[in-house]
Amino acid sequence: ITYTTKCGGLWRGTMKLVMYNDFRPGILVDGRVIGMAGIADEYMGSHPEDVMINIIEDFASVRDELLDLEETADGVPVESVQLRAPIPRPRKLICCFGNYREGQDRDSFPIDMFLKSPEAVIGPGDKVILPKVDFRICHHEAELAIVIGKRVKDLTQDEAMGAIFGYTAFMDVSPRGGVGRNPGMTMISKSFDTCAPMGPCIVTADEIQNPHDLSIKYWVGDQERHDYSTSDLEHTLPELIEWATKVMTLVPGDVIAIGTNHQGIGPLQDGETGKVEIEGIGSFSIKVEDPLKREWPVEIDQEMATMVREARP
């Protein structure tokens, strides 16, 4: 099955949108960042972090100007700017539990989601600071994330893909144990500041021909950890959006992280540099700092991978 998408037929062309430096919006083209200049001024709002959400909400009105800018302006090398999270403070940040078959031929688990604090979001080159609480281990979870483009409620699966504005790369930083009554994990433990890296851009939905067949990778230095495809999803994007909109209204700038494959999962620890890469979107790196200088084996967590894979035959 090939899924092709565009947000209600609202735009032509393809685009990669970024935030950079002091939270200015831009367009990423062939390794160069083109600032939106005066186009963005009317979308700045009371907080600079909101500008991308405002642009997404009014994209039908501004798209032609942005496409003209993309074709005519020179821009500057991306290495000369500080990229930020493309949506520094999403209105809602929704994450899926698991949601991959992990290579097993089995019946799907029911869809399950949780809310993660938008204040946890950081961007490319930023630092994940491990919380100063007594958790068992803190895992990286590299994921594809959906950016919602319009206000929607009670969508069918046939309607769901039309709600997607674009895609970005995400990492659900997951301290396990040590917070709340559940000795394993509670959702509040996933909401510590800096526990939601996102970047490097938002790729408009029409640029991704099939979001259900994308390669997702994560490295610690030169060591490859995650290496999986969205073709292994338990629940497709239409299923996830249909389910979410039965519960809540989604609005422009909401982000849904669609879950991870645990077979490449491993610990985050002090001094590491990690890199997330998703086919068709790009890559970004984060640094890790642990004020308590804890240590775990520098390798894939095979115990966790096996536990999830064998959770149900």
Side-chain angles (χ1 to χ4, degrees):
I1 299 174
T2 298
Y3 295 85
T4 58
T5 67
K6 55 184 177 180
C7 188
L10 292 181
W11 69 78
R12 61 178 175 83
T14 61
M15 198 172 297
K16 293 183 177 180
L17 305 179
V18 296
M19 295 282 281
Y20 68 101
N21 292 351
D22 57 343
F23 296 97
R24 301 293 299 183
I27 308 167
L28 182 62
V29 183
D30 297 330
R32 301 182 72 82
V33 173
I34 300 170
M36 293 185 186
I39 296 174
D41 290 345
E42 62 184 294
Y43 296 102
M44 291 305 294
S46 57
H47 300 285
E49 296 93 339
D50 293 338
V51 63
M52 188 63 75
I53 294 174
N54 296 336
I55 289 171
I56 289 170
E57 194 165 19
D58 197 34
F59 198 72
S61 299
V62 75
R63 72 180 188 273
D64 287 336
E65 288 183 85
L66 295 180
L67 285 168
D68 290 343
L69 189 65
E70 183 180 57
E71 294 170 1
T72 60
D74 290 331
V76 298
V78 66
E79 296 84 3
S80 69
V81 304
Q82 172 62 60
L83 291 181
R84 305 293 184 179
I87 301 186
R89 291 297 178 272
R91 289 172 176 165
K92 288 191 289 295
L93 178 51
I94 305 163
C95 298
C96 294
F97 284 104
N99 198 34
Y100 281 83
R101 294 182 180 276
E102 315 270 328
Q104 299 297 295
D105 183 14
R106 63 186 185 195
D107 294 333
S108 294
F109 285 112
I111 297 174
D112 202 357
M113 297 177 174
F114 61 93
L115 292 171
K116 192 176 177 102
S117 170
E119 296 299 319
V121 173
I122 60 173
D126 287 342
K127 189 177 292 184
V128 173
I129 300 177
L130 303 190
K132 292 187 285 188
V133 298
D134 186 20
F135 55 79
R136 177 175 58 83
I137 195 169
C138 184
H139 284 131
H140 53 74
E141 298 185 15
E143 309 184 10
L144 176 68
I146 303 164
V147 179
I148 298 298
K150 59 184 179 180
R151 188 179 186 89
V152 289
K153 181 72 169 73
D154 292 323
L155 294 183
T156 66
Q157 290 187 34
D158 287 342
E159 299 166 327
M161 296 301 285
I164 298 176
F165 175 82
Y167 303 94
T168 190
F170 182 78
M171 189 163 75
D172 181 15
V173 176
S174 300
R176 304 192 190 279
V179 181
R181 296 182 181 179
N182 186 334
M185 181 185 68
T186 62
M187 289 312 96
I188 195 68
S189 72
K190 292 224 181 190
S191 285
F192 284 101
D193 289 352
T194 76
C195 281
M198 184 190 301
C201 61
I202 300 169
V203 177
T204 53
D206 47 346
E207 189 162 330
I208 302 296
Q209 183 178 13
N210 184 4
H212 299 87
D213 189 21
L214 298 178
S215 169
I216 299 177
K217 295 186 177 184
Y218 181 80
W219 290 267
V220 174
D222 294 330
Q223 183 189 77
E224 188 175 84
R225 298 271 182 89
H226 288 294
D227 183 9
Y228 68 95
S229 171
T230 56
S231 62
D232 193 46
L233 277 168
E234 287 193 302
H235 300 286
T236 64
L237 306 193
E239 290 177 89
L240 297 177
I241 294 171
E242 178 190 48
W243 191 92
T245 61
K246 288 181 185 299
V247 177
M248 66 188 81
T249 299
L250 299 180
V251 298
D254 283 351
V255 174
I256 302 176
I258 70 170
T260 198
N261 186 313
H262 295 77
Q263 297 313 298
I265 207 166
L268 290 164
Q269 51 197 323
D270 188 67
E272 289 182 342
T273 296
K275 184 174 80 169
V276 180
E277 181 177 272
I278 299 184
E279 180 183 359
I281 296 173
S283 65
F284 72 95
S285 297
I286 52 93
K287 302 180 187 302
V288 183
E289 178 181 317
D290 182 5
L292 302 183
K293 309 301 180 187
R294 290 159 287 197
E295 293 184 1
W296 294 275
V298 185
E299 58 191 22
I300 292 173
D301 187 339
Q302 297 294 348
E303 181 180 357
M304 181 71 173
T306 300
M307 181 186 72
V308 175
R309 187 174 61 248
E310 297 181 352
R312 189 170 71 201

